[in-house]
Amino acid sequence: MDFDLTDEQRLLADSVGRLMGDAYGSLEKRRAHAAEPHGWSERVWAQYAELGLLGLPFAERHGGFGGGAVELMIVMEAFGRGLALEPYLATVVLGGGLLRLAGSEAKQARLVPRVADGSLKLAFAHGEAQARYDLDDVATTARRAGDGWRLDGAKSVVLHGDCADLLVVSARTGGERRDRDGITLFLVEAGVPGVSRRGYPTQDGQRAAEILLEGVELTPDAVLGPVGGAAAPIRLAVDAALAALSAEAVGAMDALHALTLEYLKTRKQFGVTIGSFQVLQHRAVDMVVAIEQARSMAMYATMMAGTPEGHAAVAGAKVQVNRSARFVGQQSIQLHGGIGMTMEYLAGHYFKRLTIIESLFGDTEHHLREVTASGGLLGDLPSGSGLAK
Amino acid sequence: MDLRFTPEENSFRDTVRQFFTAEIPQPIRAKVADGRPLAREDIVTSQRILNRRGWAVPHWPREWGGQDWSPVQRYIFTEELQQNAVPQPLGFNVSMVGPVIAAFGTQEQKERFLPRAANLDDWWCQGFSEPGAGSDLAGLRTSAKRDGNEWVVNGQKTWTTLAQYADWIFCLVRTDPAARKQQGISFLLIDMRSPGVTVRPIVTIDGGREVNEVFLDEVRVPLENLVGEENKGWDCAKYLLGHERTGIARVGLSKLRVRRIKELARQMPSGDGTVWDDIEFRKKVASLEIELKALEITQLRVVSNERHRQGNKPDPASSILKIRGSEIQQATTELLLEMVGPYALPYREAVEGSNEPPVGPDWADTAAPTYFNWRKTTIYGGSNEIQRNIVAKAILGL
Ligand SMILES: Cc1cc2nc3c(=O)[nH]c(=O)nc-3n(C[C@H](O)[C@H](O)[C@H](O)COP(=O)(O)OP(=O)(O)OC[C@H]3O[C@@H](n4cnc5c(N)ncnc54)[C@H](O)[C@@H]3O)c2cc1C
């Protein structure tokens, strides 16, 4: 049991931290990136590729860097601190995760190098209007057409779905709308006939898209993973994404708290710094406590995701991270007073990102139900303890 | 980064668990699990069994009975102790006066007091708080004046836990009335049988007798009972309070409580089934389990980090453990109370040997008293507000 980073991991943290400092050191820089055509910076994306971040979690034999969940956690935490805009989660964690979990050797060998060099952006087109947070709720259909497939349906709020070159689309090839079995993944070039996309900004300054699939013709090779058996890899990829988002939230909370602390030490009212007021001191401490609990659970999720108890662990982490994020976000705004309300100041942007992270892939209530359904995180009294009634 | 324990650590866990369940009498552990008050004899019996195995004071220096355990082993030991409802070795002996004497005492004091403290041959109590000195401990007024080869002590201590069982009391006393606050305080060991010592019980809101007032009236104490230097008692106090905080998260105890609540909820009738059938109740349990898991991992982070820390100073993060640990302990008592429902009402006086049959399940009557009593955890050991003051200064620099 240890929580130390290896030397290589520390190095990674340092270099991503530096990159974030350079690329995102100020609100002006972030605004400039957001003003680019896709709402994020191609130049910064190229820097991610250079640093090896885009190939991070893929196997070396496919052209990746063989990093694990801890490496991903390090990167996401830095992105959270920097409030980065690039489609990393969509491309590397979600799309890339599905590619890794469900893709054949051949597919990975073909696609990973292009993801790693930054030329191929992915998005996971899964959510639908009626599904809310139910991962099994898929109404989009894929029907056999000749020796290939034809896709029909509508995907909603697809993260960075507007800029993706290749979509990982879930569709039903069997079973009823909410069945676990019968879901299949397809790789769909964004530009093929029948795919139409409407991109839009999201509340946190990122981007998403509504994607319409109307008679999209696909070759047999478009299938990713087993036909009808995508529920398991989807669950795993989403769990990995939740662990990554937890880490991102921790990074954002860290930065937001530092900003708030700085303000408490400089802003003066009644002739003293406001940080000398005990009620604000205690609030700041409660924020630290909330952040440390979230950090612990983000680490827990990172280390547990993918193991048999991983799903409950990840869901538990999301509950804690969400609660901490809401408290830290709201209190940061409150402790800043009016300045916290302006678009011209960073705090509000962290607050907005944290708020959006809360709802991504399941809100607090959803994940509390998940933990409950899995029997909790603690288990029962050990038999033979002599304490059972 | 790795959550797994090594095979050696896991076998260590098995060894201690095996020992606890086999050697500590089940009726004593059942009392702990049920939240019933322990008799003096229960605590003594349990601590002596541990001491015979060399486990009453594992964190002490080796020559006084300590074990060369790693921080992880210590953590495992405490967690298993708590999870298996073994009475905690008496904190006043093993976590307070013992470490202070080991660090600041003379060779004679060590030889005279440490082995007896480890074996609970002497029962110690803590005479710090006074009516006028709680959080602001340095405001204490109990005085000790030198008279020949004795100190003469006058004053009043309060909230003194289990003083009714105690053979000795360690006190903070003012030895230099002219000095300001923290200066002029000394750490003094007083025999409870000395003439002039009077113990008067304070009944707590749960109906229990756990705390007392201790009056000290012209009590004569040999000079050699001073620990450390005269007027330097505050150093001892600080050292002691640091020791007190590291164990205070009590993750193992809260785990035991939550698991027990789950088990009992499956037996508690409600409608056509049990309380456990209610999804809202199970969500509450799950919610608490998440908070507890977060605390556990935070504690493990502190434990894992201990290797990199210099010296013997407690991590300021221990204040965070105190805050969350106490809040979660209280939350477990609230959850039990809610689960018990109407059967939390009947009041059964804790009379030894009482034959009155219980109203409701035989474990239900402790739910409310435990809840009442556990409000203490956010007050003592440095109240949670004081902990926040510490974090604000030491970690945040406010
Ligand atoms: C069950 C129990 C057992 C105990 N056992 C012992 C024992 O064995 N030996 C012993 O010496 N003592 C013991 N204590 C005493 C305990 O240490 C004190 O109760 C504690 O230090 C608080 O002091 P107080 O009760 O005087 O409260 P006060 O210090 O008067 O505090 C009252 C309230 O004011 C808050 N407060 C005080 N100062 C500040 C501040 N600067 N900023 C913000 N808020 C503040 C407190 O947090 C609290 O909420 C015990 C207490 C209890 C309840």
Side-chain angles (χ1 to χ4, degrees), chain B residues 54-80:
Chain B
W55 288 353
V57 289
H59 53 292
W60 284 14
R62 178 95 225 178
E63 55 172 325
W64 300 109
Q67 300 280 351
D68 289 323
W69 286 348
S70 68
V72 177
Q73 281 177 301
R74 279 192 214 168
Y75 171 82
I76 291 173
F77 179 80
T78 305
E79 185 182 35
E80 285 302 323

Side-chain angles (χ1 to χ4, degrees), chain A residues 62-75:
Chain A
H62 298 136
F65 290 89
V70 175
E71 282 74 16
L72 206 55
M73 177 188 85
I74 291 167
V75 171

Side-chain angles (χ1 to χ4, degrees), chain A residues 269-306:
Chain A
Q269 285 293 281
F270 300 98
V272 293
T273 55
I274 56 173
S276 64
F277 302 137
Q278 192 185 47
V279 67
L280 301 193
Q281 291 179 354
H282 284 199
R283 203 76 55 78
V285 172
D286 288 337
M287 289 163 73
V288 170
V289 172
I291 294 171
E292 291 311 319
Q293 303 316 289
R295 193 190 315 283
S296 291
M297 289 306 270
M299 288 174 166
Y300 182 59
T302 299
M303 289 185 267
M304 296 294 286

